Amino acid sequence: MLRSSMQNEQRRSQQAGLDDEHRWHALHVDDAAATLQSNLELGLSEEHAAERLARFGPNVLPEHARRSLAMVVLHQFRSPLIYLLLVAALIALLLGEISDALVIFVVVLLNAAIGALQEGRAESSMQALRRLASHKARVLRSGHEQPIDASDLVPGDLLLLAAGDAVAADARLVHGAALQIAEAGLTGESVPAVKDPAALAPDTLLADRSNMVHAGTHVTAGRARALVVATGLGTELGRIATLASATLEPQTPLERRVAEFGRYVIIAALVVFVLMLGIGLLRGLGFAQVFMLAVSTLVGMVPEGLPVAMTIALAIGVQRMAARNTVVRRLSAVETLGSTTLICTDKTGTLTRNEMTVTALALPDAREVSISGVGYEPIGELRTDGSELDAGSNDAVRELLQAAVLCNDSQLGGPDALDARWKPLGDPTEVALLTVAIKAGLLPAELRARFVRRAELPFDATTKMMATQHDSPDGCFVVIKGAPELVFELCSSAPGAGQQNEQSTRAREQLRASAHAMAERALRVLAIAIVRGGEIDGHAGYAAFAGRASLLGLIGQLDPPRPEVARAVGQCSAAGIRTVMVTGDHKATGFAVARTLGIARPGDIAIDGRELEQMSDAELTGQLDSIAVFARVHPAQKLRIVEAYQRQGQSVAMTGDGVNDAPALMRADVGVAMGVTGTDVAKDAAKIVIADDNFATLVAAIEEGRVVYRNIKKAILLLFSTSFAEVTVLLLALLLGYPLPFLAVQILWNNLVTEGLITVNLIMEPAEGDEMQRPPIATDEPLLTRPLLTRIAVMVPAIVLSTLGWFIVRSAAGIPEAQVRTETFTLLAICEWYNVLNCRSDTRSALTLDIFRNVWLVGGLLLGNLLQIAVVFWAPLASVLHTVPFGWTEVLALAAVGSLVLWVEELRKLAVRRRILRT
Ligand code: ATP
């Protein structure tokens, strides 16, 4: 039925020389709704929506096709090292060394399998997270407003839009209030387009279709209801982008640094390669043997496992953060979080619960009213001067609360058969106003029906006010509610102009003092004013009411701090991270909350947006260290704050939720959007999204970031210490005139299998627990820091001494060369296993760290041991790796000698722990 009417429409369009998608803007909105068989008041029913979803498919653009397993495996072979190994295998074949060639092939394949497995895992976890980060849309279905996944939108749905929302489909406006849409992504126009539902001429160009909103754009201001006309590939965006922009992650800074470092290592490896060839040939060894050895050493030196290990470390970090309520949108955020030195945090909802309860009213006649009861349940009483107040007979209170109900978009659903609780819907600041109105005996639904809303100026974080225009039997009026000092400005009148003005001036000053007193008690204060006979003019905005508004009073709300935040702030300061509050709320309110939570230390100050505006950059920099609260900031000022801290050398994490927060979120080192209150625009601009809006969750994400960074360092340490040791052993043996302690194939096996198995699993180490007791990681910290080099300097000699020492002693004892070599090759693996235990912590003893906290590593070690036993004791493998079996006494002796590296590291750790205790 629908299809046939759409086909009819298409036919009609084609007759008019236009295809169907180009005609929606030319139709009257009722005709558009009729064509789509939708209802402009109720929207679609669930059944219809489901049926259309099945017919038109989900509202998504085809993603970049996921790489097939074969492609992932093939990708593993695209490395110069692998080419080199294959050349070596070819040469071995030509020289008749069939078993060497075979080993190279097997090792290359095994290495590719380990790499592909890990990469596949990393990719799936990233895909799952991408799905998590997808947008939601609000629709009206069967008359009920509900959030759905944007991918479930269908033609005919009634889409509800508000500032900050991403538009998820193409839609025809039904009605809109001051709606502005940023369409740069689609039309290239950087100034937001003002939208209006009126029908347009059929030949209107896409960029001028002011009654349409399109997928891929977002709402910068206002609110609207729109009828979805096209989804998925049918949208304008779908037409220009057959493939969604590839969501390939750029390299993170650390990955770039590792890649750069890798290039130096390759140069060093080439030098060693030439050295080996030279010394080997000078010593009269055969070319084939020396060449194979040099190639193997080269492969051993290059940390080819590192990039894979890093990708896994980051992916694991992403997974762990997801488990702790953080969605990572940019991989680089994982490591940048670990370097965060300063957090600029919002107050409402992040530090506090965003559960508002009105506890006080202040009236123009200087009376204060206190209100009992907590939460949204409208049970409590209003008291003034110690006695209960009958709101019904008090005009001032009634008028104030009536206005608070009218200039309000929220709902408070009463208890019903299914749920005995009261159900808040909308902005908690506004729901709290409904609660207090009901406590005072008012009926919001009845008031809203009696004084119908005709126009509005929606709340926005820049104006910090909201206004609505209503009809009444005595003519229209406008209610304004918002930040007191801004509402007061509209109420100002010329001094001395009559007694009435004097009275209102006195009342205003009185209320100003009350507002301050309330804010000092950490209350969030709203002022409410009325303009009798006023009308809203979208262009003039609030300026039209200057001097015409009369104050009705103040409403103070309590928003308790989240219980876990004070501890999280403490954790941050122990971790060398400063916390600064950047709030839209009043200075006194913000400062009171900051003191309670330990954000403001003795001597710290709070400044507000105006003071900030008057400061030069130099003055601001001079004060930065003592400012704990930036209050009443304009979202645009957040950018200035971030930049000021960055100039100071801080690595800034900044939270945000509004549409205007996007520039600051993008500029911050880590932009953090709020999952619950955050707009799509903020989420798109941010690197991470905190699902529960909680400051403590952000701190947990920082901790995870530090764990990831630490694990990468552990892998670097393991890889470098073992490669250095191995090369040193070989070069020393060559220089001292000994036979080769290992054969080329054994080196290859050791590097690509034994080492590969433990490195990728070391990366899975859980937190050590002291991550937040250490200073932040400097962003420009070199990969091989001094402490890391010290450890390498301890580990390398220990491994060299045990392996080369064993080789020399056993050779001198007359043990056959093949056996000594097999023992030394096994000893090297044993040293690496001990060393991986060393690398798990830089200060804690490997003997006290529970190995089962990392079952991956246990698995890697077990598998490594099994494979080593197989290559020594299982004849078919032993013959390709040129090993010979040895006895159990040797096994025990090797286990003891190999532990040297463990003991020297234990000694070093002991010394470090002693030093820490002393300081
Ligand atoms: P933060 O930025 O820390 O989350 P906030 O939520 O208080 O702080 P905004 O939401 O920008 O910041 O609010 C700023 C001010 O605007 C509030 O202090 C209040 O005075 C006023 N305000 C907030 N919500 C509304 C609303 N719905 N209607 C009118 N005024 C409001």
Side-chain angles (χ1 to χ4, degrees):
M1 180 63 184
L2 171 69
R3 175 158 280 183
S4 70
S5 80
M6 286 180 81
Q7 279 163 349
N8 287 341
E9 172 60 22
Q10 191 170 7
R11 225 173 292 126
R12 260 183 281 143
S13 313
Q14 277 159 357
Q15 281 161 7
L18 293 159
D19 62 18
D20 62 341
E21 290 89 346
H22 285 233
R23 273 191 60 94
W24 297 111
H25 62 276
L27 290 183
H28 187 275
V29 68
D30 292 330
D31 295 336
T35 309
L36 290 162
Q37 294 182 349
S38 187
N39 181 309
L40 290 180
E41 288 307 315
L42 304 175
L44 297 174
S45 66
E46 283 300 341
E47 300 81 64
H48 277 134
E51 184 235 319
R52 288 184 190 195
L53 188 62
R55 192 189 307 168
F56 294 103
N59 174 36
V60 287
L61 295 179
E63 261 189 43
H64 230 56
R66 205 186 152 154
R67 283 189 303 166
S68 66
L69 183 64
M71 285 304 293
V72 175
V73 174
L74 272 183
H75 187 77
Q76 308 300 317
F77 293 100
R78 281 182 45 198
S79 132
L81 276 183
I82 302 289
Y83 303 152
L84 192 69
L85 276 176
L86 293 177
V87 170
L90 208 70
I91 294 179
L93 266 183
L94 290 176
L95 294 172
E97 304 279 347
I98 312 284
S99 67
D100 278 10
L102 208 68
V103 171
I104 297 183
F105 283 129
V106 170
V107 163
V108 165
L109 281 178
L110 265 178
N111 189 51
I114 297 178
L117 206 76
Q118 301 294 356
E119 236 180 71
R121 255 186 35 203
E123 197 159 323
S124 331
S125 66
M126 288 311 295
Q127 291 246 348
L129 285 160
R130 247 173 252 145
R131 274 194 292 280
L132 253 180
S134 65
H135 289 147
K136 294 260 175 213
R138 279 183 307 128
V139 289
L140 265 189
R141 287 205 179 149
S142 305
H144 295 293
E145 179 183 330
Q146 50 183 293
I148 59 167
D149 279 335
S151 59
D152 290 340
L153 276 177
V154 291
D157 256 330
L158 267 191
L159 186 61
L160 302 174
L161 295 170
D165 287 351
V167 181
D170 284 2
R172 169 76 166 81
L173 272 192
V174 177
H175 54 72
L179 186 69
Q180 292 189 22
I181 304 273
E183 296 186 327
L186 198 66
T187 62
E189 175 57 60
S190 56
V191 181
V194 177
K195 298 284 178 174
D196 185 273
L200 298 165
D203 57 356
T204 312
L205 294 175
L206 178 67
D208 298 327
R209 288 182 199 158
S210 52
N211 58 9
M212 298 288 297
V213 290
H214 294 104
T217 63
H218 63 252
V219 184
T220 56
R223 297 189 302 129
R225 181 181 288 197
L227 180 70
V228 174
V229 298
T231 57
L233 273 176
T235 61
E236 293 295 337
L237 184 69
R239 257 194 269 229
I240 54 174
T242 13
L243 275 182
S245 60
T247 33
L248 275 187
E249 278 280 345
Q251 274 194 325
T252 70
L254 189 60
E255 280 180 319
R256 267 201 303 277
R257 256 191 298 155
V258 167
E260 202 173 300
F261 184 68
R263 281 194 281 279
Y264 292 116
V265 176
I266 289 177
I267 296 174
L270 284 172
V271 172
V272 172
F273 177 80
V274 174
L275 267 180
M276 283 238 164
L277 268 182
I279 303 174
L281 290 175
L282 278 179
R283 278 206 37 209
L285 300 173
F287 174 77
Q289 191 188 13
V290 178
F291 178 75
M292 287 296 288
L293 188 75
V295 168
S296 313
T297 317
L298 182 96
V299 174
M301 273 192 75
V302 176
E304 71 287 330
L306 197 52
V308 181
M310 283 197 56
T311 315
I312 299 164
L314 293 171
I316 299 295
V318 166
Q319 267 173 353
R320 288 192 186 152
M321 287 185 191
R324 293 176 83 173
N325 271 330
T326 304
V327 178
V328 176
R329 295 178 39 88
R330 303 268 182 285
L331 210 49
S332 60
V334 178
E335 61 189 55
T336 327
L337 272 172
S339 313
T340 301
T341 57
L342 185 128
I343 306 175
C344 289
T345 173
D346 281 340
K347 170 180 70 70
T348 310
T350 312
L351 299 173
T352 64
R353 289 212 265 218
N354 202 9
E355 286 166 15
M356 308 284 174
T357 307
V358 174
T359 58
L361 309 178
L363 302 170
D365 62 8
R367 259 185 314 157
E368 237 197 67
V369 179
S370 64
I371 295 128
S372 63
V374 179
Y376 300 120
E377 195 185 15
I379 294 180
E381 55 187 36
L382 284 71
R383 301 181 75 85
T384 185
D385 302 329
S387 55
E388 196 175 336
L389 180 124
D390 176 14
S393 61
N394 187 309
D395 289 347
V397 171
R398 204 186 52 248
E399 217 181 343
L400 171 67
L401 295 180
Q402 201 164 296
V405 168
L406 294 176
C407 186
N408 189 319
D409 291 319
S410 70
Q411 310 273 351
L412 183 59
D416 53 35
L418 290 177
D419 191 348
R421 283 169 305 186
W422 286 78
K423 291 166 276 298
L425 185 72
D427 180 355
T429 301
E430 298 195 336
V431 182
L433 302 181
L434 296 186
T435 306
V436 67
I438 302 173
K439 281 181 187 171
L442 302 184
L443 299 171
E446 188 258 330
L447 281 174
R448 285 170 174 178
R450 183 140 54 99
F451 302 103
V452 176
R453 188 190 289 190
R454 291 292 170 210
E456 65 187 289
L457 293 173
F459 172 73
D460 98 52
T462 309
T463 60
K464 295 188 171 49
M465 288 187 285
M466 163 176 180
T468 50
Q469 178 190 326
H470 302 266
D471 287 342
S472 85
D474 313 324
C476 61
F477 64 95
V478 169
V479 180
I480 303 169
K481 95 172 186 302
E485 63 280 18
L486 299 170
V487 176
F488 291 162
E489 271 174 27
L490 301 176
C491 304
S492 61
S493 46
Q499 200 193 356
Q500 211 185 343
N501 266 347
E502 256 172 50
Q503 260 174 5
S504 75
T505 310
R506 211 173 317 119
R508 201 175 57 243
E509 289 319 310
Q510 182 65 45
L511 285 176
R512 203 187 290 279
S514 302
H516 194 75
M518 282 180 174
E520 296 232 294
R521 280 156 37 205
L523 295 185
R524 178 179 173 83
V525 192
L526 290 175
I528 305 219
I530 188 164
V531 183
R532 296 192 175 86
E535 278 183 41
I536 285 179
D537 169 356
H539 293 293
Y542 293 96
F545 309 124
R548 293 172 60 201
S550 320
L551 275 173
L552 296 178
L554 303 174
I555 302 185
Q557 313 186 325
L558 194 66
D559 178 16
R562 287 177 181 269
E564 59 279 31
V565 168
R567 195 175 151 262
V569 170
Q571 256 183 326
C572 283
S573 62
I577 303 168
R578 246 189 91 197
T579 310
V580 173
M581 181 197 287
V582 180
T583 178
D585 215 333
H586 191 274
K587 187 159 100 172
T589 314
F591 203 46
V593 175
R595 275 198 306 264
T596 319
L597 292 173
I599 291 175
R601 302 153 302 183
D604 278 351
I605 57 164
I607 66 164
D608 66 23
R610 280 193 195 169
E611 289 163 318
L612 178 62
E613 212 170 273
Q614 281 154 14
M615 278 184 183
S616 67
D617 280 347
E619 281 166 340
L620 176 61
T621 310
Q623 298 239 25
L624 274 183
D625 288 337
S626 57
I627 300 175
V629 176
F630 290 91
R632 282 283 191 253
V633 288
H634 198 285
Q637 290 177 320
K638 287 190 173 182
L639 185 63
R640 185 167 171 219
I641 297 171
V642 171
E643 287 176 341
Y645 280 121
Q646 284 174 332
R647 273 198 302 277
Q648 238 194 5
Q650 307 270 15
S651 179
V652 184
M654 166 147 247
T655 69
D657 46 17
V659 52
N660 300 323
D661 290 341
L665 289 177
M666 283 200 268
R667 178 64 218 226
D669 298 87
V670 184
V672 184
M674 296 298 135
V676 182
T677 53
T679 56
D680 295 338
V681 176
K683 288 179 190 166
D684 286 347
K687 283 190 182 161
I688 63 169
V689 179
I690 299 290
D692 59 359
D693 290 15
N694 191 340
F695 179 80
T697 304
L698 170 59
V699 177
I702 291 180
E703 186 178 0
E704 288 299 345
R706 290 184 170 199
V707 174
V708 168
Y709 194 91
R710 237 179 171 185
N711 285 350
I712 293 176
K713 286 276 182 165
K714 289 174 188 174
I716 291 178
L717 175 66
L718 180 67
L719 283 172
F720 281 93
S721 53
T722 42
S723 327
F724 279 175
E726 195 180 81
V727 172
T728 316
V729 169
L730 281 168
L731 280 176
L732 275 179
L734 272 177
L735 282 171
L736 297 175
Y738 286 103
L740 290 172
F742 326 105
L743 294 178
V745 284
Q746 295 169 347
I747 296 176
L748 278 181
W749 179 270
N750 185 278
N751 281 303
L752 297 180
V753 182
T754 313
E755 204 176 285
L757 275 173
I758 47 179
T759 318
V760 292
N761 293 316
L762 178 63
I763 281 289
M764 312 282 185
E765 276 292 303
E768 284 183 45
D770 63 348
E771 279 73 13
M772 296 303 270
Q773 277 134 42
R774 298 179 170 223
I777 305 141
T779 34
D780 54 355
E781 185 184 274
L783 281 186
L784 293 179
T785 51
R786 190 186 280 256
L788 215 65
L789 286 171
T790 315
R791 296 184 72 189
I792 293 178
V794 168
M795 291 166 171
V796 171
I799 300 177
V800 172
L801 197 68
S802 43
T803 46
L804 195 60
W806 178 274
F807 184 76
I808 294 173
V809 170
R810 296 286 284 175
S811 300
I815 312 290
E817 197 175 292
Q819 184 179 334
V820 181
R821 212 171 258 149
T822 310
E823 288 168 4
T824 317
F825 162 55
T826 308
L827 183 54
L828 184 67
I830 293 175
C831 289
E832 283 171 20
W833 295 329
Y834 281 120
N835 207 24
V836 76
L837 301 181
N838 284 334
C839 294
R840 294 181 67 210
S841 170
D842 56 354
T843 50
R844 289 220 226 149
S845 162
L847 308 171
T848 56
L849 265 181
D850 181 6
I851 179 86
F852 290 100
R853 272 166 43 89
N854 184 355
V855 286
W856 289 95
L857 187 59
V858 175
L861 282 170
L862 278 179
L863 192 58
N865 271 276
L866 280 178
L867 287 172
Q868 189 68 26
I869 292 172
V871 295
V872 175
F873 297 100
W874 189 43
L877 264 181
S879 72
V880 272
L881 278 161
H882 310 293
T883 56
V884 291
F886 47 80
W888 286 104
T889 10
E890 278 85 12
V891 172
L892 292 178
L894 288 175
V897 173
S899 67
L900 178 67
V901 67
L902 180 80
W903 302 121
V904 291
E905 251 291 285
E906 285 298 314
L907 281 179
R908 188 201 60 82
K909 287 180 183 177
L910 191 69
V912 172
R913 285 200 300 273
R914 286 250 167 91
R915 206 174 49 231
I916 294 174
L917 271 183
R918 271 204 305 274
T919 51

